[in-house]
């Protein structure tokens, strides 16, 4: 009872004052005056150990079949039996060896029952897919069993034999579970599975080097200079405003293509050419660098991206995370569809578990190529092991071995880095392949559309010219008739 880890109580009628939570992980001194007092509160089942102090003449009554609680409590502590001759007997029952030991009252040495588990079976609850992929859990259980003379096994069904749970995420744990968990190696978190961003068209390279503000400033500059030349220019100002705008764009790309002159035009176009040297040189270098890799549309990574661009199926997990959901009458697009994944350590292990669960190579390949984890991690916790009621007395040494593994780096620097093959999704680069006709489809569409519009404008202009000539000839004939 001197261990500061435990809470202590000394009371003979705990059912009148205490609750279950106050007995949790506690050590209790329970004096019993008669066999009728053994209506001890059932909450003692949550305690770690208890010392029962009672006289010798009521021992037979406590062993009566009607005293159903006593055998259960007896297994968790010590019995101090005294008589009228001032003699005292201290007994302790070890449930692992199924033996009762007697302690010397004059030289008490508290036995460590957990030093030898006498072949006790430690059973861990794990799913079949986790057992094949997350092999470290089995190693951890085997390590404890080998050190404590126990046996280890894993099963995928919940039964009374279960000793340890693996807590995939601790966000909803409370009460007994939260107080009885043991931190282990690794982390768990809730990940958001999103669609991989689609590659951008090669033609978008012509726009991407500058942002919208730079392009807007350039357009305003061209329109301002074109309007000034149209109003005050000598030679170039004689052309239409649209032709002047096209000429300024040509000046930016390859230099002047039309004759210009006059003091005003010379100064304005000279300054425009100097500005174009800096602008076009930086633009060309950015275009060349952008050609070295495939560019993608913005990916979903932050929590704000998830809230704005993701839509989830209508599940309880999505509502708990306050995420946008869809109904059967409103299906999202493929790019908007996202999923929730409970992850152990990293995305690689998540995919490995998915591969074992699905057992379909084509679906796994599609999952890797088209979907990914967003960078945001929700409810990130250390991995936890949860001991059941039957084994919560093992908490101390299980925690010791878990902490030893964390501090030694066995998990971080050996298991996680070497026991699994390194996986990374490599993006395609233009260096590894040539530019195909389909990559330039947008450019061809623009060329065909521009040629078609030019032809239509040319035909419309000729038709308008012919009509103007006919109208002019008719007016001349009418004038002659009037003169005659």
């Amino acid at each position: 009872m001197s261990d500061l880890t435990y809470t202590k109580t000394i009371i003979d009628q705990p059912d009148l004052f205490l609750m279950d939570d106050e007995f949790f992980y506690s050590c209790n001194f329970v004096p019993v005056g008669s066999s009728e007092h053994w209506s001890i509160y059932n909450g003692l089942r949550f305690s770690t150990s208890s010392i029962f102090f009672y006289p010798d003449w009521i021992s037979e009554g406590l062993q009566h079949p009607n005293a159903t609680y006593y055998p259960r409590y007896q297994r968790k502590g010590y019995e101090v039996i005294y008589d009228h001759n001032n003699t005292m007997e201290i007994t302790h029952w070890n449930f692992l060896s199924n033996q009762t030991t007697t302690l010397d009252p004059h030289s008490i040495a508290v036995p460590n029952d957990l030093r030898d588990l006498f072949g006790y079976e430690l059973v861990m609850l794990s799913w079949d897919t986790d057992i094949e992929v997350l092999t470290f859990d089995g190693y951890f259980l085997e390590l404890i069993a080998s050190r404590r003379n126990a046996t280890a096994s894993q099963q995928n069904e919940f039964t009374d034999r279960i000793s340890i749970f693996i807590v995939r995420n601790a966000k909803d744990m409370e009460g007994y579970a939260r107080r009885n968990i043991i931190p282990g190696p690794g982390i768990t978190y809730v990940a958001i599975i999103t669609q991989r961003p689609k590659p951008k068209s090669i033609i978008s390279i012509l726009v991407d080097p500058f942002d919208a503000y730079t392009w807007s400033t350039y357009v305003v500059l061209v329109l301002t200079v074109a309007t000034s030349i149209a109003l005050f220019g000598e030679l170039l100002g004689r052309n239409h405003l649209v032709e002047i705008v096209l000429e300024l764009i040509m000046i930016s790309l390859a230099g002047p293509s039309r004759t210009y002159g006059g003091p005003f035009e010379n100064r304005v176009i000279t300054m425009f050419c100097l500005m174009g040297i800096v602008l076009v040189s930086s633009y060309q270098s950015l275009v060349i660098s952008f050609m070295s890799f495939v560019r993608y549309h913005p990916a979903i990574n932050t929590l704000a991206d998830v809230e704005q661009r993701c839509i989830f199926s209508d599940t309880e997990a999505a509502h708990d995370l306050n995420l946008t959901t869809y109904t059967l009458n409103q299906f999202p697009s493929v790019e908007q569809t996202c999923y929730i994944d409970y992850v152990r350590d990293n995305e690689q292990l998540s995919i490995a578990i998915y591969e074992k669960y699905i057992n379909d190579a084509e679906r796994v390949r599609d999952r890797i190529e088209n979907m990914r984890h967003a960078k945001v991690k929700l409810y990130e916790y250390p991995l936890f092991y949860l001991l059941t009621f039957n084994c919560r007395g093992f908490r101390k040494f299980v925690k010791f071995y878990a902490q030893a593994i964390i501090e030694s780096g066995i998990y971080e620097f050996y298991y996680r880095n070497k026991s699994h093959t390194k996986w990374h999704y490599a993006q395609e680069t233009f260096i590894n392949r040539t530019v195909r006709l389909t990559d330039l489809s947008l450019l061809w569409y623009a060329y065909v559309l521009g040629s078609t519009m030019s032809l239509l404008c040319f035909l419309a202009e000729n038709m308008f010219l012919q009509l103007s000539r006919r109208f002019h000839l008719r007016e001349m004939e009418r004038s002659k008739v009037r003169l005659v």
Side-chain angles (χ1 to χ4, degrees):
M1 295 184 69
S2 62
D3 192 338
L4 297 179
T5 307
Y6 307 111
T7 57
K8 293 90 177 176
T9 60
I10 301 177
I11 195 166
D12 61 348
Q13 292 183 346
D15 55 326
L16 301 179
F17 304 101
L18 302 180
M19 305 297 290
D20 281 357
D21 292 344
E22 296 174 291
F23 281 110
F24 183 84
Y25 207 56
S26 63
C27 184
N28 309 285
F29 181 82
V30 184
V32 182
S34 68
S35 58
E36 296 179 357
H37 287 175
W38 197 252
S39 57
I40 301 299
Y41 184 62
N42 198 30
L44 286 176
R45 70 185 187 276
F46 296 108
S47 65
T48 298
S49 183
S50 299
I51 300 175
F52 305 107
F53 187 81
Y54 61 89
D56 179 65
W57 55 84
I58 70 169
S59 58
E60 293 183 2
L62 295 178
Q63 300 295 341
H64 194 274
N66 293 333
T68 56
Y69 293 122
Y70 180 72
R72 183 192 308 172
Y73 301 146
Q74 182 190 26
R75 298 184 179 187
K76 292 185 178 180
Y78 301 86
E79 295 177 281
V80 181
I81 307 172
Y82 64 92
D83 58 18
H84 293 295
N85 298 326
N86 294 326
T87 60
M88 182 181 298
E89 181 182 6
I90 303 176
T91 61
H92 170 63
W93 186 74
N94 187 341
F95 75 96
L96 296 168
S97 63
N98 199 22
Q99 294 177 350
T100 300
T101 58
T102 302
L103 307 182
D104 185 2
H106 302 288
S107 179
I108 298 178
V110 179
N112 185 359
D113 295 338
L114 302 180
R115 183 172 298 174
D116 188 344
L117 300 185
F118 293 95
Y120 185 87
E121 186 179 20
L122 298 174
V123 183
M124 178 179 288
L125 178 63
S126 301
W127 307 119
D128 291 337
T129 54
D130 293 0
I131 293 175
E132 296 182 30
V133 177
L134 305 174
T135 56
F136 185 82
D137 298 326
Y139 164 78
F140 176 68
L141 198 64
E142 291 285 350
L143 173 66
I144 297 176
S146 63
R147 298 291 181 178
R148 297 284 172 159
N149 188 25
T151 57
S153 64
Q154 292 177 280
Q155 66 181 40
N156 60 359
E157 294 182 358
F158 179 80
T159 63
D160 294 337
R161 299 173 58 246
I162 298 298
S163 306
I164 301 177
F165 292 89
I166 300 173
V167 181
R168 297 298 294 268
N169 195 271
K171 72 181 184 69
D172 296 326
M173 297 185 63
E174 58 184 21
Y176 161 78
R178 183 173 291 276
R179 290 191 297 260
N180 209 35
I181 56 179
I182 298 172
I187 60 172
T188 61
Y189 60 92
V190 178
I192 305 299
I193 301 178
T194 65
Q195 303 291 329
R196 289 192 181 276
K198 303 300 181 183
K200 288 185 176 181
S201 171
I202 294 179
I203 305 305
S204 63
I205 294 176
L206 302 177
V207 180
D208 286 349
F210 296 151
D211 60 3
Y213 298 102
T214 304
W215 285 118
S216 300
T217 305
Y218 176 74
V219 171
V220 171
L221 175 63
V222 170
L223 292 177
T224 303
V225 174
T227 303
S228 301
I229 292 176
L231 294 175
F232 307 108
E234 268 186 45
L235 299 179
L236 198 59
R238 299 173 185 175
N239 299 315
H240 194 272
L241 178 63
V242 176
E243 295 178 327
I244 299 175
V245 170
L246 293 176
E247 177 61 20
L248 292 177
I249 295 175
M250 291 297 299
I251 290 174
S252 299
L253 296 176
S257 62
R258 295 173 182 263
T259 302
Y260 67 92
F264 180 75
E265 285 186 4
N266 288 337
R267 289 182 174 85
V268 170
I269 294 179
T270 300
M271 293 300 297
F272 189 81
C273 289
L274 291 176
M275 184 276 300
I277 293 174
V278 179
L279 182 68
V280 174
S281 60
S282 61
Y283 176 79
Q284 290 176 344
S285 62
L286 289 173
V287 168
I288 294 172
S289 64
F290 283 3
M291 285 291 294
S292 62
F293 62 95
V294 180
R295 292 161 305 106
Y296 293 84
H297 291 282
I300 299 176
N301 279 321
T302 65
L303 182 59
D305 293 337
V306 172
E307 293 175 345
Q308 295 173 6
R309 299 169 55 186
C310 276
I311 300 179
F312 298 83
S313 57
D314 192 8
T315 60
E316 183 178 354
H319 289 293
D320 290 342
L321 297 173
N322 197 24
L323 300 174
T324 305
T325 59
Y326 65 88
T327 61
L328 296 177
N329 298 327
Q330 297 177 344
F331 287 99
S333 62
V334 176
E335 290 74 14
Q336 293 176 315
T337 304
C338 300
Y339 306 93
I340 298 173
D341 190 13
Y342 291 88
V343 183
R344 172 91 173 264
D345 282 340
N346 50 45
E347 184 178 4
Q348 176 188 356
L349 289 179
S350 175
I351 293 177
I353 294 174
Y354 177 77
E355 180 180 6
K356 295 294 183 181
Y357 178 75
I358 295 298
N359 195 23
D360 187 340
E362 187 64 24
R363 291 180 64 180
V364 174
R365 183 193 61 79
D366 181 74
R367 158 73 173 83
I368 295 175
E369 291 184 356
N370 297 320
M371 309 192 77
R372 55 180 285 275
H373 279 182
K375 291 184 178 180
V376 62
K377 297 180 180 179
L378 307 176
Y379 295 105
E380 185 175 2
Y381 292 100
L383 174 72
F384 289 110
Y385 295 113
L386 173 62
L387 299 178
T388 61
F389 285 113
N390 297 332
C391 299
R392 67 177 174 272
F394 299 164
R395 173 189 176 92
K396 192 171 185 179
F397 71 81
V398 173
K399 183 178 180 180
F400 168 79
Y401 288 115
Q403 188 65 27
I405 286 176
I406 295 173
E407 294 179 0
S408 65
I410 293 176
Y411 185 80
E412 292 290 334
F413 300 105
Y414 178 76
Y415 171 78
R416 195 166 68 172
N417 293 333
K418 294 185 179 180
S419 295
H420 298 279
T421 57
K422 292 186 177 180
W423 170 85
H424 179 69
Y425 180 78
Q427 293 182 337
E428 187 182 15
T429 61
F430 285 128
I431 298 175
N432 297 333
R433 65 176 179 86
T434 58
V435 178
R436 297 186 293 268
L437 181 64
T438 54
D439 297 327
L440 299 175
S441 57
L442 184 60
L443 179 61
W444 291 113
Y445 293 152
Y447 176 76
V448 172
L449 180 63
S451 300
T452 304
M453 291 182 62
S454 299
L455 179 61
L456 293 176
C457 292
F458 175 72
L459 294 176
E461 185 178 0
N462 286 338
M463 186 180 297
F464 180 76
L465 182 61
Q466 293 294 334
L467 293 175
S468 298
R469 287 178 179 177
R470 291 181 182 180
F471 180 77
H472 184 64
L473 290 175
R474 289 178 182 177
E475 290 294 329
M476 290 181 61
E477 291 178 357
R478 291 178 181 177
S479 300
K480 290 179 180 180
V481 171
R482 291 175 183 176
L483 291 175
V484 173

